[in-house]
């Protein structure tokens, strides 16, 4: 919170909401053997596969906003759990393609249903998933996510 602001800053509120959501999703998908980060990966992969895509780890990292190294770590854990398969891309031997296994598809469908209920609960104060306030909120979040954000470098007067 800043000294000049009588209440919490937008950054603080975004951070709090993100943490609230992460914890809620972690708890909701834990019975399915997933974490929030793993859910983000398999749910995104599910959507991409439904669209006919077999994405690389890099493509999935770009789509989710997660670091490529973290996606690789998550993919290995999900592969060990039998939920995804990792194969070399025939067009680029350095790239690894990802796909949900049958078990992964089943678990992902269950997880998506659980998270959708949670999302409806979160958005109820705005009128629900299809409410005008929710649509406006989604537009605002999209605007913020689309804006480039480079970390500022503090002035180092010693150099």
């Amino acid at each position: 919170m800043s000294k000049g602001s009588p209440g919490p800053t937008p950054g603080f509120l975004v951070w709090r909401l993100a943490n609230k959501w992460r914890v809620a999703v972690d708890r909701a998908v834990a019975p399915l053997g997933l974490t929030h980060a793993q859910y983000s990966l398999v749910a995104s992969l599910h959507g991409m596969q439904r669209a006919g895509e077999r994405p690389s780890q890099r493509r999935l990292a770009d789509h989710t906003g997660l670091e490529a190294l973290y996606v690789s770590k998550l993919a290995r854990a999900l592969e060990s759990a039998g939920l995804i398969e990792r194969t070399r891309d025939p067009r680029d031997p350095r790239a690894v393609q990802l796909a949900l296994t049958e078990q992964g598809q089943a678990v992902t469908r269950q997880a998506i249903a659980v998270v959708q209920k949670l999302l409806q609960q979160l958005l109820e104060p705005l009128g629900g998933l299809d409410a005008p306030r929710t649509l406006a909120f989604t537009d605002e979040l999209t605007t913020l996510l689309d804006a480039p954000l480079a970390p500022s470098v503090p002035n180092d007067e010693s150099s």
Side-chain angles (χ1 to χ4, degrees):
M1 300 213 277
S2 77
K3 294 178 203 170
S5 175
T9 64
F12 179 76
L13 293 173
V14 167
W15 177 73
R16 287 284 313 274
L17 183 59
N19 281 318
K20 177 181 179 175
W21 181 248
R22 184 192 50 77
V23 168
V25 173
D26 267 336
R27 289 180 181 151
V29 299
L32 298 170
L34 296 172
T35 65
H36 179 262
Q38 290 172 329
Y39 167 76
S40 297
L41 211 72
V42 296
S44 294
L45 187 53
H46 177 74
M48 294 168 102
Q49 276 186 220
R50 287 184 62 188
E53 193 174 343
R54 185 174 177 135
S56 66
Q57 287 183 169
R58 163 57 65 195
R59 169 82 176 94
L60 194 55
D62 292 344
H63 178 80
T64 60
L66 297 171
E67 293 291 328
L69 193 59
Y70 190 44
V71 168
S72 177
K73 180 182 173 183
L74 290 171
R76 286 191 179 114
L78 291 164
E79 181 181 42
S80 293
L83 301 180
I84 68 168
E85 58 186 17
R86 300 167 64 241
T87 56
R88 290 280 170 210
D89 185 334
R91 297 165 305 207
D92 181 357
R94 298 168 298 160
V96 176
Q97 289 181 318
L98 304 175
L100 290 169
T101 63
E102 279 188 42
Q103 178 188 358
Q105 290 175 17
V107 168
T108 300
R109 282 192 297 271
Q110 289 177 306
I112 288 171
V114 166
V115 172
Q116 277 299 113
K117 287 180 186 171
L118 191 60
L119 185 59
Q120 289 172 1
Q121 183 182 352
L122 174 73
L123 296 172
E124 193 58 41
L126 298 180
L129 193 57
D130 297 319
R133 286 181 67 196
T134 299
L135 298 175
F137 179 61
T138 301
D139 287 344
E140 298 290 356
L141 290 172
T142 301
T143 298
L144 294 175
L145 286 169
D146 288 346
L149 187 62
S152 61
V153 179
N155 265 346
D156 184 1
E157 294 181 21
S158 65
S159 55

